[in-house]
Amino acid sequence: MLFRGLFTVSIGKLKGFSLSQPMNLTPTFFRDEGKPVEKLQALICYSSFSTNGDLKKGYEKMMLAKDLACLVEESSHKDERKVKSRMELKRSIELRVKKRVKEQFIDGKFRNLMVNVIAVPITLQDAYNCIKLNSNVDISVKDDSICFNSLAKELLDGSFDVGEDTVSFSTRGVAKEVLILPNPKMIIVQEAIRMVLEVVYRPHFSKISHGCRTGRGHLTALRYIKKQVSSPSWWFPLILNKKVDANIIAKLISKLEEKIEDDQLYVIIRSMFDAQVLNFEFGGFPKGHGLPQEGVLSPILMNVYLDFFDQEFYRLSMRYEALHQGDDKDEDKSHSKLRNWFRRQLKENDLKCTTNDNSGPRIYCCRFMDEIFFVVSGSKDIALSFKSEIVDFLKNSLRLDVDDEQTGVLPCDGSNGSRFLGALVKRRVQEGPATSAVHKLKEKVRLFASQKQDAWNVGCVRIGKKWLAHGLKKVKESEIKHLADSGSTLSKVSCFRKAGMETDHWYKVLMKVWLQDIKAKAAENEESILSKYVAEPALPHELKESYYEFMKCADEYVSSETATTLALLPNSSSNSGSVTITEILAPTDAIKKRLFRYGLTTSEGYPRAASLLVLQDSIQIIDWFSGIVRRWLQWYQDYDNFNEVKLLISSLLRKSCVRTLATKYRIHESEIEKQFDSELCRIPSIEEVEQELTYETSYSHPFDNDEALMYGISYSGLCLLSLARMVSQSRPCNCFVLGCSVAAPSVYTLHVMERQKFPGWKTGFTSCIHPSLNKRRIGLCKKHLKDLYLGHISLQSIDFGAWK
């Protein structure tokens, strides 16, 4: 206890408190916020004095109390000065909106959300602040560009025209593709509706859904397939394709009406569909990358619509797992299966509960937006039957097109595996301890033999080169009469030397004749000729036999079967057990092709300069490459071949950055590395990447990588900008980022690096920007150009309609 009881002292008064009477330490005393520092001093002094204490001691303790109170006051001010991250700010905004939405829950439904929540100036202001946070703009800066009172009035009286607050883009050519994007006012309304729908539906979404949800993303989806799926037998993905029509809109509205009763809200949503500003499309382009065509409202609406599918999956899985009519017809056991099924749904994360019951078939599903992956533990007939039923439901009930011919049911133990979210999902046998020990020993033997072979080849080549030098020396000596040996072969063939022929020329002629004699055209290179025909014949026979015998034994040991070597290990039968695991592999070959398509590597895979970046500042070039490295490595961080991806991306892109700077300044690459040594450190090395990922895993805030809060920002589609022109006073331009009013010093041209294509199976991390935005010009301030390159904002934050 800090204060030990009540004391009575006979010392005057201190800071307005009477010390001649017992002090009243009641709750009212602590609630009084008038002078907290003085009261803390008085409390400490009051507890320190005794009835017989002297004034000197009391004064010293009073000074100590004052110092302690100052420390408390400083610490409280320090907490007040702590700056919140934009993730924390956005979470606090959404919590305020959540409170308003919860107040409208009446008689089992949310009612009048448009009038009481969405079309309210403070909610629209909160929505705009969320947009500014997504754009990495300071929300404390006042922005009078949008009048929220008038916008709220337009929404209430029905005068808000959706069609006027849009801008359309189209591709060139005969077959035009049109993209309609919202203007800032429309984006604010969409963001307000999104926040409201998140509050209503987030608690009710299924656990198989991983896209655009709090605490769930593409990594959690792949982690579920890798760790939670037990004993898989068959798997298959499903490809959905469908543009929104009247049937889908009607079914979506009916789903919303189950929890929300608000006709005005549905009128606004229907008008957005009619204006084609939502870009609500199944297939067409990968989701979750912050692409301009994704919109802010489409992800939550897609999850709401596909919640029909999630419910149907649970119904079918219960029928196949719990009510499946197999060989066992015992009624008690069928009831036991049903109970086990419900227990598994309640204890999904308990791996012990999922692996002990292997008596019947098991059905697994993982959905990331409109990409769906199924795993069946059971016979192929069950997998085919289940696929047929789920495809019929998607086609007939949800009115979606399913390309099930290209996604057949594949065995899990196959060598090719299956693809989902750009990853290759495969099954691999993990070796037991004994087998692993043998393979490690074999690898050491193979490495030792390779080192000996390299040493042998280097020694033979050295001997051959000395032989060549010795021959040239003898040719030169033959030109000197007193040094020439008249009986040597060299003297006998010297008669064929033409008059005036130089020594080097004559030596080359002799070497050409010798090479023709030994038929050197079949040799791999010059070094192999010197080793085979010059050095090795001159070596002792015993030495050559020993070397080739050693290499033969090493090759036989390395290539021998594991079973024969396991018998040599003690207790091998107990240690040789192996298990089959699921691997998630990144497509390294496809990544190399992407780097070539982006112009960062040659067709042979060597790094090259990015010509479109040459005119930009050196810091901007380095930031662009640093952004690619960090975003790609963050995307692939949980993949099983991450070390290979790490080495590939870090080494190639760093070298490409150096060559881009060398092209810009027209100096050698070594000089670039010296001049920009500190700046190039922004491109993380392999060791730095490992440290950053470890730090993020251990110390990051739970909302820092929340895909529901910052949809698509961390994995925003890769874009390439080339400098179009510098901004002058005669042609001013402001930054195109939503919420930013800073003048843009330059205008850039956006280059589409990949055609729009679905699904994103090749790399997962994609840059499928809509082709209608190709070669569009955008103005960016220096801050947001850096944010876009580093992945702190996505292309959704850019107002493409700002160009006039």
Side-chain angles (χ1 to χ4, degrees), residues 279-329:
N279 299 309
F280 188 69
E281 180 182 357
F282 294 92
F285 58 89
K287 309 301 189 299
H289 303 280
L291 302 177
Q293 62 266 28
E294 290 187 72
V296 297
L297 190 54
S298 299
I300 181 67
L301 292 179
M302 181 171 289
N303 277 333
V304 170
Y305 187 77
L306 288 179
D307 192 58
F308 283 117
F309 161 80
D310 298 341
Q311 295 175 5
E312 178 66 13
F313 166 76
Y314 280 114
R315 188 188 69 83
L316 289 177
S317 66
M318 182 179 67
R319 182 159 65 84
Y320 275 87
E321 294 181 16
L323 305 177
H324 178 67
Q325 297 297 326
D327 297 334
D328 189 4
K329 298 182 180 180

Side-chain angles (χ1 to χ4, degrees), residues 770-786:
H770 196 275
S772 64
L773 299 178
N774 190 28
K775 303 298 179 62
R776 297 288 173 182
R777 292 187 175 183
I778 55 177
L780 294 172
C781 61
K782 291 185 177 181
K783 175 182 180 298
H784 284 112
L785 177 63
K786 181 177 181 178

